[in-house]
Amino acid sequence: KLIIANSKMVKEDIIQSYGIDPNKIKIIYNGFSPLEGIIYENSISKLAKEFNINSNQTIILYVGSGYKRKGVLELLQILSQLNNKSFVAFIIGKEKKYKDYQKVINAFSLESKVKILGTRKDVSDFYVAADIFMLPSHYEPFGNAVLEAMRYGNVVFTTKRTGASELLNEEFIMDGSNDYSISKKIDNFFINPNLM
């Protein structure tokens, strides 16, 4: 009999916590369905109309529930440190303390840049339209949102404590949720949009 882990990080956590023989643990990464019927123009047009987005704005996306563990506070800190302000950021997902995060947005003077949307049924439109996806989690066994963002062609940044980071090149992996140096890398994508 074997234990299935969905990332090397989780495998190591199991070994350290329970003393399981590493040979009894196999890694199988989460999968995803292929894209069908996605029309970029339709998604961007819909969101541009709803949120008054112009073609010069870079779209930054976060998707996840439980904002504290998944690093939304740190995300806001990173966004506040960007030199280039030609972006709009969407935060999607369930959270009980929306008002606390809205206060942080106001404190960073990001009211015109960051929209907390809660849960949405049209998340795929946001993935399609987004340029950059961020999940600065404190801990995430895998993080399907990372896979989803990758399959929609987003530039993806996440932390070492997110299992799905094992699928990314090192330059896109943050040391931790509070790795604010990532803002310089994001600014570089703004300066060189062809990199996206």
Side-chain angles (χ1 to χ4, degrees):
K1 293 184 179 180
L2 295 171
I3 295 172
I4 305 299
N6 61 0
S7 66
K8 293 174 189 172
M9 182 187 77
V10 169
K11 178 178 178 176
E12 290 304 314
D13 285 349
I14 293 169
I15 292 166
Q16 289 179 12
S17 297
Y18 302 103
I20 303 290
D21 178 353
N23 295 318
K24 292 187 177 181
I25 305 172
K26 298 296 176 191
I27 298 166
I28 300 178
Y29 289 120
N30 293 358
F32 57 88
S33 302
L35 297 176
E36 293 179 10
I38 301 298
I39 302 172
Y40 174 84
E41 290 78 15
N42 291 354
S43 294
I44 192 65
S45 175
K46 175 188 166 186
L47 297 184
K49 190 174 183 180
E50 183 177 351
F51 298 103
N52 197 27
I53 302 168
N54 67 56
S55 60
N56 297 325
Q57 287 180 298
T58 299
I59 298 175
I60 299 173
L61 180 63
Y62 161 94
V63 176
S65 297
Y67 290 5
K68 184 175 181 179
R69 179 172 61 88
K70 295 189 181 178
V72 170
L73 187 61
E74 290 82 359
L75 168 65
L76 295 173
Q77 180 76 41
I78 291 164
L79 296 177
S80 75
Q81 293 180 9
L82 294 176
N83 290 323
N84 192 319
K85 301 297 184 190
S86 64
F87 70 88
V88 61
F90 295 107
I91 298 173
I92 298 176
K94 190 176 179 181
E95 171 58 44
K96 292 179 182 177
K97 299 180 179 178
Y98 290 116
K99 290 181 181 177
D100 292 346
Y101 290 93
Q102 191 60 54
K103 287 177 185 174
V104 175
I105 289 169
N106 296 345
F108 285 140
S109 300
L110 291 171
E111 303 94 327
S112 65
K113 299 292 177 192
V114 180
K115 316 286 184 204
I116 297 179
L117 305 180
T119 56
R120 298 273 301 208
K121 292 184 178 178
D122 58 349
V123 179
S124 62
D125 286 320
F126 289 88
Y127 279 121
V128 170
D131 300 294
I132 296 171
F133 177 84
M134 296 192 65
L135 187 68
S137 291
H138 294 266
Y139 180 82
E140 184 69 36
F142 187 77
N144 282 342
V146 169
L147 273 188
E148 291 165 1
M150 289 171 68
R151 78 174 178 171
Y152 284 101
N154 297 177
V155 174
V156 176
F157 293 99
T158 193
T159 66
K160 289 180 179 177
R161 295 299 292 160
T162 300
S165 69
E166 296 164 21
L167 306 176
L168 300 176
N169 291 338
E170 195 171 314
E171 65 182 299
F172 301 101
I173 302 171
M174 302 164 64
D175 286 334
S177 297
N178 60 354
D179 180 1
Y180 302 126
S181 68
I182 208 75
S183 60
K184 291 178 184 175
K185 291 183 181 179
I186 295 169
D187 273 325
N188 191 42
F189 279 102
F190 289 164
I191 296 166
N192 304 289
N194 58 312
L195 292 176
M196 285 195 249

